Amino acid sequence: MSRILDQRILLLVISFSASVQSIKVLSEWKKCGDLECEKAMCRVQATTDYLGPDCRYLNFKTGEEIMVYSKLSRENENLWTGSKGKDFGYFPRDAVKIEEVLIGEEVEVPTKETDFLCLHEDKYTFE
């Protein structure tokens, strides 16, 4: 019985490790308003409806207001990160127009794996 339990635990650990390794990193770098990426960088307005490909993306309709907290840089500069109400996620920068700039200077910092997790109902979902 103990051996079966050990095998199940090992399979669970292997499964979890494989899930963590499959996180799709969209960029190694991002630009933020501060080192912790907690300050809003700008306020934008959606110029088109947008429906993202997965749960990491922010969906919105034309005219909605979004607060931007980071912008992916270097290998994927087209994606920004922001919030609309309680929803948070990535969206293409060409789907919005800047309404108000809230910071004077951008800081480039490395991304973390946790930047690319889906968060649903207080649970992390690995892609």
Side-chain angles (χ1 to χ4, degrees):
M1 180 72 164
S2 173
R3 183 180 167 128
I4 292 172
L5 182 60
D6 289 345
Q7 289 175 342
R8 286 184 180 175
I9 291 172
L10 180 60
L11 285 173
L12 182 63
V13 169
I14 290 170
S15 174
F16 180 75
S17 295
S19 294
V20 170
Q21 290 175 358
S22 71
I23 295 171
K24 205 171 180 183
V25 174
L26 301 172
S27 178
E28 297 290 328
W29 296 91
K30 63 184 175 180
K31 293 180 182 176
C32 301
D34 62 280
L35 291 174
E36 292 78 30
C37 298
E38 294 176 351
K39 283 185 184 176
M41 299 175 73
C42 59
R43 182 176 52 82
V44 299
Q45 185 177 47
T47 57
T48 186
D49 292 355
Y50 178 72
L51 181 61
D54 63 45
C55 61
R56 295 174 298 172
Y57 291 80
L58 182 67
N59 300 321
F60 50 79
K61 300 213 179 280
T62 303
E64 290 187 306
E65 191 173 277
I66 301 163
M67 298 302 290
V68 177
Y69 289 92
S70 69
K71 303 171 181 179
L72 295 185
S73 60
R74 299 190 188 186
E75 61 266 5
N76 198 355
E77 294 184 355
N78 184 47
L79 290 178
W80 289 2
T81 311
S83 68
K84 173 188 67 117
K86 63 180 179 142
D87 297 327
F88 187 85
Y90 293 94
F91 58 91
R93 71 178 182 185
D94 60 356
V96 299
K97 68 178 178 179
I98 296 175
E99 294 286 308
E100 180 181 15
V101 176
L102 303 172
I103 58 153
E105 190 174 322
E106 296 177 352
V107 178
E108 190 173 51
V109 298
T111 60
K112 304 173 203 161
E113 284 185 351
T114 54
D115 290 336
F116 307 106
L117 296 177
C118 293
L119 183 59
H120 282 303
E121 301 169 4
D122 301 324
K123 297 177 187 174
Y124 288 108
T125 304
F126 296 95
E127 288 296 304

